Amino acid sequence: MIDDWWGGRAVRDMLPRLFFTHFRQTSFVAEEDGELAGFLCGFLSQTHPDQAYCHFVGVAPSHRKSGLASELYERLFEAARAAGRTSVHCVTSPKNTGSIAFHTRIGFEIEAEVPGYDGSGESRVLLQKRLSA
Amino acid sequence: MIDDWWGGRAVRDMLPRLFFTHFRQTSFVAEEDGELAGFLCGFLSQTHPDQAYCHFVGVAPSHRKSGLASELYERLFEAARAAGRTSVHCVTSPKNTGSIAFHTRIGFEIEAEVPGYDGSGESRVLLQKRLSA
């Protein structure tokens, strides 16, 4: 259903099942009345033992503006803190001003904008949030 | 260049930079004369502390049938063993008989074929290789 949630944008390829299989401690699903309302896929960085990373947050159109994305992020912050991580990182498109505004609101700061970041020729904004102990 | 290596199939979306940024201990790149010859992206499962996973192996058309993919896998097996993992897992398409034959040759066994595995409606073959200590 994820491509529908994104208004037809093909984002499903960004979400192979491996994220749900192999990163369960840092991935979360929200349901209401047995229906999927939203989810977040994160992981603990293997390269950087002080970092966690959020790969994807998705909220059903009917649950937008409800604070759900922020609540899902809170779960990731807790899990990351519990695993001794001191920052959470994510990447978004500079065109996605809604995403940048949301992340800033929940405590992320822009680290850098990097041209051609994902090999697509497009640039990406790198964000990080420092976790308090 | 990865879409060219795959004869135009759009596989780039399967390879966001996060695999190269956050899973360095289990990802490997092979070069010849400064040119990329092949690479492998793997990680240690966060959910299953006895497992490692191979997400992607790519070899340049000019380096196929050279044993490079098998050599890249050897590096992953070593890294996984060093991290105390006892098996390596991967997923491929049942249509990709070349991939299944290759993995069988280097010691993988088919665990299961699962319909609709990645939410695409397509089935996937799950493979695993047990690592000797």
Side-chain angles (χ1 to χ4, degrees):
Chain A
M1 64 179 70
I2 187 71
D3 288 350
D4 290 333
W5 286 12
W6 257 254
R9 219 176 110 204
V11 291
R12 200 188 56 208
D13 287 349
M14 292 178 64
L15 282 168
R17 194 182 194 119
L18 66 89
F19 287 103
F20 302 96
T21 305
H22 290 294
F23 301 103
R24 284 194 199 147
Q25 302 95 328
T26 48
S27 294
F28 305 95
V29 164
E31 291 182 326
E32 191 175 67
D33 301 329
E35 295 275 313
L36 184 64
F39 66 92
L40 181 152
C41 290
F43 58 78
L44 306 173
S45 174
Q46 200 177 279
T47 307
H48 306 292
D50 55 336
Q51 299 182 9
Y53 186 88
C54 178
H55 172 54
F56 212 100
V57 196
V59 172
S62 59
H63 286 82
R64 298 219 174 127
K65 309 274 172 198
S66 69
L68 180 54
S70 157
E71 211 179 304
L72 287 163
Y73 255 114
E74 276 305 323
R75 304 292 172 103
L76 177 62
F77 298 158
E78 268 170 49
R81 242 181 243 119
R85 309 288 157 139
T86 56
S87 62
V88 176
H89 297 251
C90 70
V91 168
T92 193
S93 165
K95 288 183 222 154
N96 197 341
T97 53
S99 167
I100 295 170
F102 164 73
H103 282 92
T104 305
R105 221 151 51 225
I106 63 169
F108 279 83
E109 296 162 293
I110 293 176
E111 280 187 288
E113 183 173 334
V114 181
Y117 187 77
D118 269 329
S120 61
E122 285 174 38
S123 67
R124 291 284 180 265
V125 173
L126 279 53
L127 295 136
Q128 88 161 298
K129 178 186 166 90
R130 287 179 197 285
L131 298 174
S132 48
Chain B
M1 63 179 69
I2 187 70
D3 287 350
D4 290 333
W5 287 12
W6 257 255
R9 219 177 110 203
V11 291
R12 201 188 55 208
D13 287 349
M14 290 179 65
L15 282 168
R17 193 182 193 119
L18 66 89
F19 287 103
F20 302 96
T21 304
H22 291 294
F23 301 102
R24 285 194 198 146
Q25 302 96 326
T26 48
S27 295
F28 304 94
V29 164
E31 291 182 327
E32 191 175 67
D33 301 330
E35 296 275 314
L36 185 64
F39 66 92
L40 180 153
C41 289
F43 58 78
L44 305 174
S45 174
Q46 201 177 278
T47 307
H48 306 293
D50 55 338
Q51 299 182 9
Y53 185 87
C54 178
H55 172 53
F56 210 101
V57 196
V59 171
S62 58
H63 286 81
R64 300 221 172 124
K65 309 274 171 200
S66 69
L68 181 54
S70 157
E71 213 180 302
L72 287 162
Y73 255 114
E74 276 303 324
R75 304 292 173 103
L76 176 62
F77 298 156
E78 269 170 48
R81 243 181 243 120
R85 308 289 158 137
T86 56
S87 62
V88 176
H89 297 250
C90 70
V91 168
T92 193
S93 166
K95 289 184 221 155
N96 197 342
T97 52
S99 168
I100 294 169
F102 164 73
H103 283 92
T104 305
R105 221 151 52 223
I106 64 169
F108 280 83
E109 296 162 292
I110 293 176
E111 281 188 287
E113 182 171 336
V114 181
Y117 187 77
D118 270 328
S120 60
E122 285 174 39
S123 67
R124 291 283 178 266
V125 173
L126 278 53
L127 296 135
Q128 89 160 299
K129 179 188 164 88
R130 289 181 197 281
L131 298 174
S132 47

PDB file of all heavy atoms in Angstrom, chain A residues 84-114:
ATOM      1  N   GLY A  84      22.777   2.997  23.651  1.00  0.00           N
ATOM      2  CA  GLY A  84      23.979   3.807  23.851  1.00  0.00           C
ATOM      3  C   GLY A  84      24.321   4.748  22.709  1.00  0.00           C
ATOM      4  O   GLY A  84      25.446   5.244  22.614  1.00  0.00           O
ATOM      5  N   ARG A  85      23.375   4.990  21.821  1.00  0.00           N
ATOM      6  CA  ARG A  85      23.627   5.899  20.701  1.00  0.00           C
ATOM      7  C   ARG A  85      23.397   7.343  21.137  1.00  0.00           C
ATOM      8  O   ARG A  85      22.493   7.597  21.943  1.00  0.00           O
ATOM      9  CB  ARG A  85      22.708   5.553  19.518  1.00  0.00           C
ATOM     10  CG  ARG A  85      22.761   4.078  19.144  1.00  0.00           C
ATOM     11  CD  ARG A  85      24.074   3.743  18.480  1.00  0.00           C
ATOM     12  NE  ARG A  85      24.428   2.329  18.566  1.00  0.00           N
ATOM     13  CZ  ARG A  85      24.967   1.640  17.548  1.00  0.00           C
ATOM     14  NH1 ARG A  85      25.193   2.222  16.389  1.00  0.00           N
ATOM     15  NH2 ARG A  85      25.318   0.375  17.715  1.00  0.00           N
ATOM     16  N   THR A  86      24.179   8.275  20.597  1.00  0.00           N
ATOM     17  CA  THR A  86      24.059   9.675  21.012  1.00  0.00           C
ATOM     18  C   THR A  86      23.468  10.573  19.924  1.00  0.00           C
ATOM     19  O   THR A  86      23.199  11.742  20.164  1.00  0.00           O
ATOM     20  CB  THR A  86      25.423  10.240  21.452  1.00  0.00           C
ATOM     21  OG1 THR A  86      26.353  10.066  20.378  1.00  0.00           O
ATOM     22  CG2 THR A  86      25.945   9.504  22.683  1.00  0.00           C
ATOM     23  N   SER A  87      23.281  10.045  18.715  1.00  0.00           N
ATOM     24  CA  SER A  87      22.620  10.842  17.682  1.00  0.00           C
ATOM     25  C   SER A  87      21.843   9.955  16.726  1.00  0.00           C
ATOM     26  O   SER A  87      22.146   8.772  16.560  1.00  0.00           O
ATOM     27  CB  SER A  87      23.642  11.701  16.900  1.00  0.00           C
ATOM     28  OG  SER A  87      24.564  10.881  16.233  1.00  0.00           O
ATOM     29  N   VAL A  88      20.814  10.565  16.125  1.00  0.00           N
ATOM     30  CA  VAL A  88      20.009   9.876  15.110  1.00  0.00           C
ATOM     31  C   VAL A  88      20.128  10.679  13.821  1.00  0.00           C
ATOM     32  O   VAL A  88      20.058  11.912  13.845  1.00  0.00           O
ATOM     33  CB  VAL A  88      18.532   9.761  15.539  1.00  0.00           C
ATOM     34  CG1 VAL A  88      17.683   9.129  14.444  1.00  0.00           C
ATOM     35  CG2 VAL A  88      18.415   8.919  16.820  1.00  0.00           C
ATOM     36  N   HIS A  89      20.319   9.975  12.710  1.00  0.00           N
ATOM     37  CA  HIS A  89      20.551  10.635  11.425  1.00  0.00           C
ATOM     38  C   HIS A  89      19.475  10.241  10.425  1.00  0.00           C
ATOM     39  O   HIS A  89      18.881   9.172  10.538  1.00  0.00           O
ATOM     40  CB  HIS A  89      21.935  10.238  10.895  1.00  0.00           C
ATOM     41  CG  HIS A  89      23.029  10.714  11.802  1.00  0.00           C
ATOM     42  ND1 HIS A  89      23.874  11.735  11.463  1.00  0.00           N
ATOM     43  CD2 HIS A  89      23.356  10.347  13.062  1.00  0.00           C
ATOM     44  CE1 HIS A  89      24.692  11.964  12.482  1.00  0.00           C
ATOM     45  NE2 HIS A  89      24.413  11.130  13.463  1.00  0.00           N
ATOM     46  N   CYS A  90      19.243  11.114   9.466  1.00  0.00           N
ATOM     47  CA  CYS A  90      18.377  10.748   8.350  1.00  0.00           C
ATOM     48  C   CYS A  90      18.705  11.628   7.158  1.00  0.00           C
ATOM     49  O   CYS A  90      19.496  12.568   7.257  1.00  0.00           O
ATOM     50  CB  CYS A  90      16.899  10.849   8.733  1.00  0.00           C
ATOM     51  SG  CYS A  90      16.339  12.532   8.965  1.00  0.00           S
ATOM     52  N   VAL A  91      18.117  11.288   6.023  1.00  0.00           N
ATOM     53  CA  VAL A  91      18.415  11.943   4.757  1.00  0.00           C
ATOM     54  C   VAL A  91      17.087  12.241   4.080  1.00  0.00           C
ATOM     55  O   VAL A  91      16.191  11.402   4.090  1.00  0.00           O
ATOM     56  CB  VAL A  91      19.279  10.997   3.872  1.00  0.00           C
ATOM     57  CG1 VAL A  91      19.364  11.501   2.450  1.00  0.00           C
ATOM     58  CG2 VAL A  91      20.665  10.813   4.471  1.00  0.00           C
ATOM     59  N   THR A  92      16.941  13.448   3.511  1.00  0.00           N
ATOM     60  CA  THR A  92      15.725  13.750   2.763  1.00  0.00           C
ATOM     61  C   THR A  92      16.081  14.589   1.532  1.00  0.00           C
ATOM     62  O   THR A  92      17.237  14.951   1.328  1.00  0.00           O
ATOM     63  CB  THR A  92      14.673  14.440   3.670  1.00  0.00           C
ATOM     64  OG1 THR A  92      13.408  14.454   2.998  1.00  0.00           O
ATOM     65  CG2 THR A  92      15.056  15.849   4.048  1.00  0.00           C
ATOM     66  N   SER A  93      15.073  14.844   0.711  1.00  0.00           N
ATOM     67  CA  SER A  93      15.311  15.653  -0.490  1.00  0.00           C
ATOM     68  C   SER A  93      15.191  17.137  -0.139  1.00  0.00           C
ATOM     69  O   SER A  93      14.307  17.524   0.633  1.00  0.00           O
ATOM     70  CB  SER A  93      14.273  15.286  -1.544  1.00  0.00           C
ATOM     71  OG  SER A  93      14.265  16.270  -2.560  1.00  0.00           O
ATOM     72  N   PRO A  94      16.054  17.991  -0.707  1.00  0.00           N
ATOM     73  CA  PRO A  94      15.931  19.435  -0.451  1.00  0.00           C
ATOM     74  C   PRO A  94      14.589  19.995  -0.934  1.00  0.00           C
ATOM     75  O   PRO A  94      14.108  21.008  -0.431  1.00  0.00           O
ATOM     76  CB  PRO A  94      17.101  20.044  -1.232  1.00  0.00           C
ATOM     77  CG  PRO A  94      17.565  18.999  -2.173  1.00  0.00           C
ATOM     78  CD  PRO A  94      17.177  17.678  -1.604  1.00  0.00           C
ATOM     79  N   LYS A  95      13.965  19.298  -1.896  1.00  0.00           N
ATOM     80  CA  LYS A  95      12.647  19.730  -2.400  1.00  0.00           C
ATOM     81  C   LYS A  95      11.543  19.435  -1.392  1.00  0.00           C
ATOM     82  O   LYS A  95      10.462  20.010  -1.449  1.00  0.00           O
ATOM     83  CB  LYS A  95      12.298  18.963  -3.688  1.00  0.00           C
ATOM     84  CG  LYS A  95      13.115  19.383  -4.892  1.00  0.00           C
ATOM     85  CD  LYS A  95      12.620  18.604  -6.114  1.00  0.00           C
ATOM     86  CE  LYS A  95      13.778  18.133  -6.977  1.00  0.00           C
ATOM     87  NZ  LYS A  95      13.488  16.946  -7.775  1.00  0.00           N
ATOM     88  N   ASN A  96      11.790  18.481  -0.507  1.00  0.00           N
ATOM     89  CA  ASN A  96      10.767  18.048   0.430  1.00  0.00           C
ATOM     90  C   ASN A  96      10.773  18.962   1.663  1.00  0.00           C
ATOM     91  O   ASN A  96      11.192  18.581   2.763  1.00  0.00           O
ATOM     92  CB  ASN A  96      11.011  16.591   0.814  1.00  0.00           C
ATOM     93  CG  ASN A  96       9.782  15.957   1.438  1.00  0.00           C
ATOM     94  OD1 ASN A  96       8.887  16.670   1.900  1.00  0.00           O
ATOM     95  ND2 ASN A  96       9.750  14.646   1.484  1.00  0.00           N
ATOM     96  N   THR A  97      10.271  20.166   1.453  1.00  0.00           N
ATOM     97  CA  THR A  97      10.318  21.175   2.523  1.00  0.00           C
ATOM     98  C   THR A  97       9.439  20.753   3.704  1.00  0.00           C
ATOM     99  O   THR A  97       9.734  21.087   4.839  1.00  0.00           O
ATOM    100  CB  THR A  97       9.854  22.545   1.998  1.00  0.00           C
ATOM    101  OG1 THR A  97       8.575  22.373   1.374  1.00  0.00           O
ATOM    102  CG2 THR A  97      10.831  23.095   0.968  1.00  0.00           C
ATOM    103  N   GLY A  98       8.383  19.995   3.438  1.00  0.00           N
ATOM    104  CA  GLY A  98       7.532  19.490   4.514  1.00  0.00           C
ATOM    105  C   GLY A  98       8.323  18.566   5.434  1.00  0.00           C
ATOM    106  O   GLY A  98       8.222  18.643   6.661  1.00  0.00           O
ATOM    107  N   SER A  99       9.122  17.701   4.837  1.00  0.00           N
ATOM    108  CA  SER A  99       9.935  16.768   5.616  1.00  0.00           C
ATOM    109  C   SER A  99      10.995  17.521   6.430  1.00  0.00           C
ATOM    110  O   SER A  99      11.218  17.219   7.608  1.00  0.00           O
ATOM    111  CB  SER A  99      10.611  15.764   4.673  1.00  0.00           C
ATOM    112  OG  SER A  99      11.614  15.036   5.339  1.00  0.00           O
ATOM    113  N   ILE A 100      11.625  18.507   5.808  1.00  0.00           N
ATOM    114  CA  ILE A 100      12.663  19.279   6.515  1.00  0.00           C
ATOM    115  C   ILE A 100      12.039  20.035   7.689  1.00  0.00           C
ATOM    116  O   ILE A 100      12.578  20.040   8.801  1.00  0.00           O
ATOM    117  CB  ILE A 100      13.395  20.231   5.545  1.00  0.00           C
ATOM    118  CG1 ILE A 100      14.177  19.403   4.505  1.00  0.00           C
ATOM    119  CG2 ILE A 100      14.343  21.176   6.307  1.00  0.00           C
ATOM    120  CD1 ILE A 100      14.748  20.211   3.348  1.00  0.00           C
ATOM    121  N   ALA A 101      10.868  20.639   7.462  1.00  0.00           N
ATOM    122  CA  ALA A 101      10.191  21.377   8.539  1.00  0.00           C
ATOM    123  C   ALA A 101       9.813  20.428   9.679  1.00  0.00           C
ATOM    124  O   ALA A 101      10.014  20.735  10.856  1.00  0.00           O
ATOM    125  CB  ALA A 101       8.948  22.075   7.998  1.00  0.00           C
ATOM    126  N   PHE A 102       9.279  19.262   9.327  1.00  0.00           N
ATOM    127  CA  PHE A 102       8.909  18.273  10.352  1.00  0.00           C
ATOM    128  C   PHE A 102      10.121  17.867  11.195  1.00  0.00           C
ATOM    129  O   PHE A 102      10.072  17.874  12.431  1.00  0.00           O
ATOM    130  CB  PHE A 102       8.274  17.041   9.699  1.00  0.00           C
ATOM    131  CG  PHE A 102       8.212  15.845  10.605  1.00  0.00           C
ATOM    132  CD1 PHE A 102       7.304  15.810  11.663  1.00  0.00           C
ATOM    133  CD2 PHE A 102       9.086  14.772  10.439  1.00  0.00           C
ATOM    134  CE1 PHE A 102       7.256  14.715  12.530  1.00  0.00           C
ATOM    135  CE2 PHE A 102       9.050  13.680  11.305  1.00  0.00           C
ATOM    136  CZ  PHE A 102       8.141  13.657  12.341  1.00  0.00           C
ATOM    137  N   HIS A 103      11.209  17.514  10.515  1.00  0.00           N
ATOM    138  CA  HIS A 103      12.393  17.047  11.250  1.00  0.00           C
ATOM    139  C   HIS A 103      12.978  18.153  12.136  1.00  0.00           C
ATOM    140  O   HIS A 103      13.440  17.892  13.254  1.00  0.00           O
ATOM    141  CB  HIS A 103      13.445  16.508  10.276  1.00  0.00           C
ATOM    142  CG  HIS A 103      13.128  15.135   9.771  1.00  0.00           C
ATOM    143  ND1 HIS A 103      12.420  14.916   8.620  1.00  0.00           N
ATOM    144  CD2 HIS A 103      13.364  13.908  10.312  1.00  0.00           C
ATOM    145  CE1 HIS A 103      12.267  13.603   8.444  1.00  0.00           C
ATOM    146  NE2 HIS A 103      12.825  12.976   9.449  1.00  0.00           N
ATOM    147  N   THR A 104      12.945  19.380  11.644  1.00  0.00           N
ATOM    148  CA  THR A 104      13.454  20.504  12.441  1.00  0.00           C
ATOM    149  C   THR A 104      12.603  20.659  13.703  1.00  0.00           C
ATOM    150  O   THR A 104      13.119  20.876  14.799  1.00  0.00           O
ATOM    151  CB  THR A 104      13.419  21.788  11.586  1.00  0.00           C
ATOM    152  OG1 THR A 104      14.155  21.538  10.384  1.00  0.00           O
ATOM    153  CG2 THR A 104      14.052  22.957  12.318  1.00  0.00           C
ATOM    154  N   ARG A 105      11.283  20.512  13.537  1.00  0.00           N
ATOM    155  CA  ARG A 105      10.356  20.644  14.658  1.00  0.00           C
ATOM    156  C   ARG A 105      10.629  19.617  15.757  1.00  0.00           C
ATOM    157  O   ARG A 105      10.494  19.919  16.931  1.00  0.00           O
ATOM    158  CB  ARG A 105       8.931  20.441  14.130  1.00  0.00           C
ATOM    159  CG  ARG A 105       7.912  21.390  14.700  1.00  0.00           C
ATOM    160  CD  ARG A 105       6.772  21.641  13.724  1.00  0.00           C
ATOM    161  NE  ARG A 105       6.169  20.423  13.199  1.00  0.00           N
ATOM    162  CZ  ARG A 105       5.854  20.207  11.918  1.00  0.00           C
ATOM    163  NH1 ARG A 105       6.070  21.158  11.009  1.00  0.00           N
ATOM    164  NH2 ARG A 105       5.317  19.081  11.527  1.00  0.00           N
ATOM    165  N   ILE A 106      11.041  18.405  15.362  1.00  0.00           N
ATOM    166  CA  ILE A 106      11.268  17.382  16.392  1.00  0.00           C
ATOM    167  C   ILE A 106      12.740  17.326  16.814  1.00  0.00           C
ATOM    168  O   ILE A 106      13.164  16.357  17.456  1.00  0.00           O
ATOM    169  CB  ILE A 106      10.739  15.985  15.981  1.00  0.00           C
ATOM    170  CG1 ILE A 106      11.477  15.444  14.744  1.00  0.00           C
ATOM    171  CG2 ILE A 106       9.231  16.028  15.734  1.00  0.00           C
ATOM    172  CD1 ILE A 106      11.190  13.967  14.460  1.00  0.00           C
ATOM    173  N   GLY A 107      13.505  18.369  16.464  1.00  0.00           N
ATOM    174  CA  GLY A 107      14.847  18.486  17.053  1.00  0.00           C
ATOM    175  C   GLY A 107      16.022  18.146  16.151  1.00  0.00           C
ATOM    176  O   GLY A 107      17.167  18.140  16.593  1.00  0.00           O
ATOM    177  N   PHE A 108      15.743  17.856  14.861  1.00  0.00           N
ATOM    178  CA  PHE A 108      16.858  17.613  13.938  1.00  0.00           C
ATOM    179  C   PHE A 108      17.460  18.939  13.474  1.00  0.00           C
ATOM    180  O   PHE A 108      16.763  19.960  13.392  1.00  0.00           O
ATOM    181  CB  PHE A 108      16.367  16.841  12.703  1.00  0.00           C
ATOM    182  CG  PHE A 108      16.231  15.353  12.924  1.00  0.00           C
ATOM    183  CD1 PHE A 108      15.085  14.833  13.521  1.00  0.00           C
ATOM    184  CD2 PHE A 108      17.242  14.479  12.550  1.00  0.00           C
ATOM    185  CE1 PHE A 108      14.950  13.458  13.728  1.00  0.00           C
ATOM    186  CE2 PHE A 108      17.106  13.104  12.752  1.00  0.00           C
ATOM    187  CZ  PHE A 108      15.962  12.597  13.343  1.00  0.00           C
ATOM    188  N   GLU A 109      18.758  18.908  13.165  1.00  0.00           N
ATOM    189  CA  GLU A 109      19.439  20.045  12.549  1.00  0.00           C
ATOM    190  C   GLU A 109      19.997  19.606  11.199  1.00  0.00           C
ATOM    191  O   GLU A 109      20.399  18.437  11.052  1.00  0.00           O
ATOM    192  CB  GLU A 109      20.630  20.471  13.403  1.00  0.00           C
ATOM    193  CG  GLU A 109      20.267  20.973  14.777  1.00  0.00           C
ATOM    194  CD  GLU A 109      21.493  20.954  15.688  1.00  0.00           C
ATOM    195  OE1 GLU A 109      21.970  19.837  16.001  1.00  0.00           O
ATOM    196  OE2 GLU A 109      21.966  22.045  16.043  1.00  0.00           O
ATOM    197  N   ILE A 110      20.068  20.528  10.257  1.00  0.00           N
ATOM    198  CA  ILE A 110      20.667  20.219   8.956  1.00  0.00           C
ATOM    199  C   ILE A 110      22.182  20.178   9.115  1.00  0.00           C
ATOM    200  O   ILE A 110      22.788  21.107   9.637  1.00  0.00           O
ATOM    201  CB  ILE A 110      20.246  21.257   7.900  1.00  0.00           C
ATOM    202  CG1 ILE A 110      18.732  21.120   7.643  1.00  0.00           C
ATOM    203  CG2 ILE A 110      21.040  21.086   6.609  1.00  0.00           C
ATOM    204  CD1 ILE A 110      18.164  22.168   6.679  1.00  0.00           C
ATOM    205  N   GLU A 111      22.787  19.076   8.693  1.00  0.00           N
ATOM    206  CA  GLU A 111      24.240  18.931   8.747  1.00  0.00           C
ATOM    207  C   GLU A 111      24.874  19.412   7.461  1.00  0.00           C
ATOM    208  O   GLU A 111      25.918  20.043   7.469  1.00  0.00           O
ATOM    209  CB  GLU A 111      24.607  17.449   8.866  1.00  0.00           C
ATOM    210  CG  GLU A 111      24.493  16.843  10.219  1.00  0.00           C
ATOM    211  CD  GLU A 111      25.068  15.432  10.157  1.00  0.00           C
ATOM    212  OE1 GLU A 111      24.418  14.552   9.558  1.00  0.00           O
ATOM    213  OE2 GLU A 111      26.164  15.240  10.685  1.00  0.00           O
ATOM    214  N   ALA A 112      24.263  19.050   6.326  1.00  0.00           N
ATOM    215  CA  ALA A 112      24.864  19.351   5.023  1.00  0.00           C
ATOM    216  C   ALA A 112      23.852  19.078   3.919  1.00  0.00           C
ATOM    217  O   ALA A 112      22.892  18.325   4.127  1.00  0.00           O
ATOM    218  CB  ALA A 112      26.085  18.459   4.809  1.00  0.00           C
ATOM    219  N   GLU A 113      24.067  19.706   2.760  1.00  0.00           N
ATOM    220  CA  GLU A 113      23.351  19.296   1.545  1.00  0.00           C
ATOM    221  C   GLU A 113      24.407  18.764   0.589  1.00  0.00           C
ATOM    222  O   GLU A 113      25.399  19.440   0.306  1.00  0.00           O
ATOM    223  CB  GLU A 113      22.578  20.465   0.928  1.00  0.00           C
ATOM    224  CG  GLU A 113      21.774  20.005  -0.280  1.00  0.00           C
ATOM    225  CD  GLU A 113      20.832  21.079  -0.846  1.00  0.00           C
ATOM    226  OE1 GLU A 113      20.406  21.986  -0.097  1.00  0.00           O
ATOM    227  OE2 GLU A 113      20.547  20.994  -2.056  1.00  0.00           O
ATOM    228  N   VAL A 114      24.216  17.536   0.114  1.00  0.00           N
ATOM    229  CA  VAL A 114      25.255  16.862  -0.662  1.00  0.00           C
ATOM    230  C   VAL A 114      24.735  16.573  -2.067  1.00  0.00           C
ATOM    231  O   VAL A 114      23.756  15.842  -2.230  1.00  0.00           O
ATOM    232  CB  VAL A 114      25.670  15.537   0.027  1.00  0.00           C
ATOM    233  CG1 VAL A 114      26.768  14.845  -0.767  1.00  0.00           C
ATOM    234  CG2 VAL A 114      26.119  15.793   1.463  1.00  0.00           C
TER     235      VAL A 114
END
